[in-house]
Amino acid sequence: INAEYMGIFFRPQAVFRIRPVTRCTSTLAGHGEAVLVVSFSPDGTKLVSGSGDCKIRVWDLATETAIKELKVHTGWVQALAWSPDGKKFASGGRDSKVVIWNGVAFETHGAYLKGHRDRINEISWEPLHRNLLCNRLASASKDGTVKVWKLSGQGGTRDLQFSLTCHTGGVQCVKWGGQGYIYTCSQDKTLMVWDADQGTMVRKLEGHGHWVNYMALNTDIVLRTGAFDHTDKKFETPEEAQEYARERYEAVINTCKGEKLISCSDDNTMFLWDPVKSNKPTVRMTGHQKGVNRVSFSPDGKIVASASFDKSVKLWNAGDGRFITTLRGHVADVYMVSWSSDSRLLLSASKDSTLKVWSMRTKKLAFDLPGHADEVFASDWSPDGLRVASGSKDKTIKIWRH
C-alpha cells in the first residue's frame, strides 16, 4: 500500500472567549482637552485617562462615572502605566514629571520623581515575577535618557537608581522584559537592550533607516497583567500570585521559543528581533506605504498587528515575520491597535473618528464603532475582555461593551 502523508499543523486557541464590543454604553465627559491616553488596571476594574488639560481622571467602571480628578502635572499627560499587581500606577507628562499614584485611594505616593529634562514618552514597570514589591519602573523621555526608579515612598531625586544614557535622540518607548532586560527604542534609529540590575547596555540593535516609533514584546500582555487572568484566581499570599505570574510568563515563552521584540519605524518597515540572543534582526517586514505608528503582538504571541499612516492595519506571522493580510476600512491614519485577551479579536483606532473590531477567524471587519466627533488617539481593551475604552480629540472617553 502506498500511502502519502500530509502534515497538519494546528495551534491551540485560548480556552475562553471574549465577546466583541458592539455598542457604546457611555460617553465620559470631563476632560477639558483631547484625551491622549487611557489605561485599564490589570484586573480590568479601574480606568485612568490622561489628557491635554494636564489632568488625570479615574473612572469607576461599575457606574461608568468619574471617581476622582488628579491634578499634579503642569503639561499634557502622555503616559500612564499600572504596576502589574494593580496597586499603583505611574503617570508621565510633557512637564517631565513622573508621578506615582496609589491605585486605591488615588493619592500621590511620595513626591514626584525628578530627573528628566523633557517630556515623558512611555513608562514601564518591572514584571511581577521578578519583583514581588513592584517598586521599580523605567521612564523613557525625549531628553534621550531612560531613568530607572526604585520607589522608597519619598520621591524626588532620591528614588533614581540609574540613568540609561547611550541614545543620541529622544527615547520613544521603553519595555521592561521578563528576562531581566530593559528594551528601549529611539529617534536615533536604534534599539538598545540593557541589563535591568546593573544599568549597563548589553546590545545595540541597528537596521532602521528612520525614527523607531514603537516596539512590542510577545510577552507584553502577561507582563502587564501579572497574576490576573480569566480564571479570576484569588491568592492567599503575594508569593503565590508571583508564582502564578511566573507560570503564565513561562507558558508564553515556551510556546514562542523565547522573548521576541518587534520594532516599527517611520522608514515604513518593521523588524523582528530575538534581543536576548542576537543583535541582528530575525526578519525585516515591508509592505506599509507610510510610517508605521504602532505594533502589537497578540496575547498568545502568534500574530503581530501593525497600524500605519497609510490607513491600513496589517497582520504578520509572529514566528517568521511572514505577511498574512491587510485589514482595510479606515479612511485616515490608524493610530492604535489593541488585542482582546483571547487573541481572537483586534481593535484599531483611527484619525477618521471610528474604532473598528476585526475578527481573526475571517480576517475581516466584525464591527464598526463610530461615535466620536474627532480623531481617536487612545484605545485600550480591558484585560478581562469586558470593555473597550477609547479617548478622542473631542475631549470625551467612550466605553464600549458587548
Side-chain angles (χ1 to χ4, degrees), residues 266-302:
D266 268 4
D267 65 6
N268 310 357
T269 68
M270 291 132 55
F271 279 108
L272 188 61
W273 311 84
D274 194 345
V276 179
K277 300 188 182 126
S278 156
N279 61 354
K280 295 276 181 288
T282 323
V283 62
R284 179 168 185 248
M285 296 137 87
T286 57
H288 280 296
Q289 312 292 310
K290 287 188 181 166
V292 189
N293 195 36
R294 253 312 157 74
V295 279
S296 182
F297 277 95
S298 62
D300 60 10
K302 303 283 195 309

Side-chain angles (χ1 to χ4, degrees), residues 317-328:
N317 182 331
D320 54 9
R322 246 191 7 254
F323 171 71
I324 300 173
T325 186
T326 304
L327 307 176
R328 295 198 185 281

Side-chain angles (χ1 to χ4, degrees), residues 175 183-184 191-193 205 215-218 259-263 271-275 297:
K175 297 277 183 196
Y183 309 104
T184 59
L191 294 94
M192 291 189 187
V193 183
L205 313 178
M215 59 185 179
L217 292 170
N218 57 358
E259 192 161 66
K260 301 288 196 300
L261 179 75
I262 189 154
S263 60
F271 279 108
L272 188 61
W273 311 84
D274 194 345
F297 277 95

Side-chain angles (χ1 to χ4, degrees), residues 331-377:
V331 292
D333 308 353
V334 188
Y335 289 147
M336 283 290 276
V337 280
S338 326
W339 289 89
S340 67
S341 47
D342 66 352
S343 308
R344 289 190 181 98
L345 299 162
L346 177 70
L347 174 86
S348 58
S350 163
K351 186 179 177 172
D352 66 11
S353 83
T354 68
L355 294 120
K356 293 188 189 324
V357 180
W358 310 87
S359 156
M360 288 301 107
R361 192 172 55 87
T362 60
K363 308 281 191 287
K364 297 236 171 7
L365 180 67
F367 293 98
D368 196 1
L369 308 175
H372 278 297
D374 211 331
E375 312 181 16
V376 187
F377 288 143

Side-chain angles (χ1 to χ4, degrees), residues 222-235:
V222 257
L223 295 181
R224 169 187 171 180
T225 51
F228 298 103
D229 70 353
H230 63 282
T231 56
D232 216 15
K233 280 198 171 113
K234 297 284 177 276
F235 301 99

Side-chain angles (χ1 to χ4, degrees), residues 32-192:
E33 276 297 328
V35 181
L36 303 173
V37 55
V38 289
S39 180
F40 282 101
S41 59
D43 57 359
T45 57
K46 300 186 193 79
L47 174 71
V48 289
S49 60
S51 160
D53 62 5
C54 313
K55 299 185 184 106
I56 299 164
R57 291 179 84 92
V58 185
W59 308 91
D60 177 13
L61 292 172
T63 58
E64 303 190 340
T65 51
I67 303 177
K68 205 163 179 189
E69 185 176 70
L70 312 176
K71 300 181 201 166
V72 168
H73 287 288
T74 51
W76 303 355
V77 182
Q78 289 179 306
L80 288 171
W82 283 85
S83 65
D85 59 2
K87 296 201 172 101
K88 46 193 174 290
F89 67 92
S91 62
R94 273 192 101 111
D95 52 8
S96 75
K97 289 180 191 167
V98 177
V99 187
I100 308 296
W101 304 88
N102 178 315
V104 182
F106 301 110
E107 304 289 338
T108 54
H109 184 82
Y112 74 87
L113 306 179
K114 273 209 272 294
H116 282 300
R117 293 190 303 283
D118 208 331
R119 68 165 187 259
I120 310 296
N121 286 329
E122 188 85 26
I123 298 171
S124 186
W125 290 80
E126 184 166 21
L128 179 63
H129 69 264
R130 295 192 68 87
N131 181 350
L132 189 58
L133 299 169
C134 291
N135 61 358
R136 291 175 75 205
L137 69 159
S139 56
S141 163
K142 190 174 181 287
D143 64 16
T145 68
V146 171
K147 297 199 184 309
V148 176
W149 313 87
K150 186 165 187 179
L151 306 179
S152 59
Q154 298 170 330
T157 48
R158 286 181 292 267
D159 285 1
L160 180 64
Q161 251 193 314
F162 36 74
S163 194
L164 312 179
T165 53
C166 277
H167 282 299
T168 53
V171 185
Q172 295 289 68
C173 184
V174 57
K175 297 277 183 196
W176 198 314
Q179 309 265 352
Y181 294 113
I182 295 174
Y183 309 104
T184 59
C185 70
S186 161
Q187 292 183 337
D188 65 10
K189 310 188 228 177
T190 66
L191 294 94
M192 291 189 187

